[in-house]
Amino acid sequence: MREMSEDRIYTARGEGEPGEIEPFRFNDEVAAVFPDMLRRSIPGYAASLEAIGSLAARYVRSGSNCYDLGCSLGAASLAMRQGIRAEGCRIVAIDNAPAMVGRCRNIVREEYLRDPKGTPVDIVEGDILDAELSNASMVVLNYTLQFLPLAERETMIRRIFEGLNDGGLLVLSEKVVDPDPAMESLLVDLHHEHKRRNDYSALEISRKRAALENVLIPETVHEHRDRLLRAGFSSAAVWLRYFNFVSIIAIR
Ligand code: GEK
């Protein structure tokens, strides 16, 4: 029997053809299987969290704020918390999906019991576009910017830049699209094969793809880099790429 927390969402949708699938939402059904969903769907997800911990140890300064924008269940916040060596910091974890925020609070509470002395995490239910960011030494957008409307992304990155202290770090992980259609088709194919190896059926893969259409809007690595540099970041580099999934670090 399958465990309750296993992602089988797109097997359970009756007879629906991919064309009839409802747009993907961060609801209760998704939040309940979320760790399994990301682990099986995003190549490099575990590596992104590991690096966030290492980067927190290097970049988080005493008395500063760290932001986890689109925190979901708080995985990146906890990675930062485990990495931070500096004193007197605060992690602010923000998400606008109530189903995520409720579960995130429980997970963080458990982590407090395990490690009571670590950096406090404030969990906020709200839109990251309205977040006030200040005195930050580290900001994480781990697979979140891709869900913002294209027109809002420039403002978001500029606000992050303004909220960061000099020398502060942004980790931006995203699904991307390749400008070369042949390469894009190969990378999508390799990703789908990866999902099949992780026990998703071809039907689940095509239904999920249909559900994410117009919800997750990927851009090219070039567009991300250019936007970061336009906002004022002094350097930006891809540190991880696995098929169409990248993680970029940018330093103010
Ligand atoms: C992780 N970072 O595990 N305001 C706030 N939250 C938002 C907004 C918004 N405007 N738009 C989307 N979200 C996490 C994984 S998941 C990635 C991040 C994925 C939230 C949304 O509710 C969801 O929880 C998260 O961004 C994206 O490291 O599902 O592929």
Side-chain angles (χ1 to χ4, degrees):
M1 209 173 81
R2 296 199 183 277
E3 288 174 35
M4 288 294 285
S5 58
E6 191 171 12
D7 172 21
R8 287 293 153 200
I9 291 175
Y10 291 97
T11 52
R13 291 272 155 87
E15 300 303 310
E17 291 299 312
E20 299 160 4
I21 296 291
E22 293 207 351
F24 184 82
R25 269 193 227 96
F26 292 101
N27 56 19
D28 218 54
E29 186 185 25
V30 166
V33 299
F34 199 66
D36 181 63
M37 177 184 284
L38 291 205
R39 187 183 55 78
R40 287 163 67 211
S41 308
I42 302 186
Y45 176 67
S48 74
L49 294 177
E50 195 182 306
I52 286 165
S54 303
L55 290 163
R58 286 165 188 257
Y59 280 89
V60 176
R61 296 280 166 263
S62 297
S64 70
N65 296 325
C66 305
Y67 294 94
D68 178 7
L69 305 177
C71 63
S72 303
L73 303 184
S77 290
L78 295 187
M80 280 195 277
R81 190 172 190 264
Q82 281 157 23
I84 290 172
R85 302 282 171 266
E87 300 287 330
C89 302
R90 190 170 69 110
I91 299 167
V92 184
I94 308 173
D95 204 289
N96 64 356
M100 292 291 184
V101 172
R103 286 178 167 79
C104 183
R105 288 191 206 286
N106 293 338
I107 290 168
V108 167
R109 207 173 294 132
E110 274 175 31
E111 183 65 10
Y112 277 4
L113 294 176
R114 209 189 57 79
D115 174 17
K117 292 208 197 89
T119 304
V121 184
D122 295 344
I123 302 159
V124 179
E125 185 181 319
D127 195 317
I128 58 173
L129 290 162
D130 302 330
E132 298 210 352
L133 312 174
S134 64
N135 184 29
S137 55
M138 182 164 178
V139 177
V140 173
L141 272 170
N142 213 31
Y143 310 99
T144 301
L145 191 72
Q146 59 196 16
F147 293 107
L148 295 190
L150 280 171
E152 309 280 11
R153 295 183 188 180
E154 185 95 17
T155 313
M156 186 75 249
I157 295 295
R158 284 183 185 276
R159 301 244 331 263
I160 291 170
F161 179 81
E162 295 305 329
L164 275 167
N165 298 332
D166 285 341
L169 176 84
L170 167 65
V171 179
L172 171 65
S173 310
E174 288 275 291
K175 183 173 194 188
V176 294
V177 61
D178 203 279
D180 172 350
M183 199 50 77
E184 170 63 11
S185 138
L186 171 61
L187 292 167
V188 167
D189 217 43
L190 287 168
H191 177 226
H192 289 175
E193 193 178 316
H194 176 87
K195 290 184 77 168
R196 283 199 296 276
R197 268 199 305 277
N198 285 335
D199 196 29
Y200 283 115
S201 69
L203 184 63
E204 283 175 286
I205 294 168
S206 70
R207 284 175 167 178
K208 176 72 175 284
R209 191 178 192 191
L212 283 172
E213 185 95 33
N214 303 320
V215 175
L216 188 171
I217 300 164
E219 295 176 277
T220 64
V221 171
H222 243 84
E223 285 166 321
H224 286 297
R225 246 183 75 84
D226 284 356
R227 184 184 291 121
L228 291 165
L229 298 177
R230 263 199 317 277
F233 283 92
S234 61
S235 44
V238 172
W239 71 271
L240 171 77
R241 177 159 191 153
Y242 194 155
F243 304 144
N244 268 346
F245 293 81
V246 304
S247 187
I248 297 171
I249 43 181
I251 296 167
R252 171 167 173 156

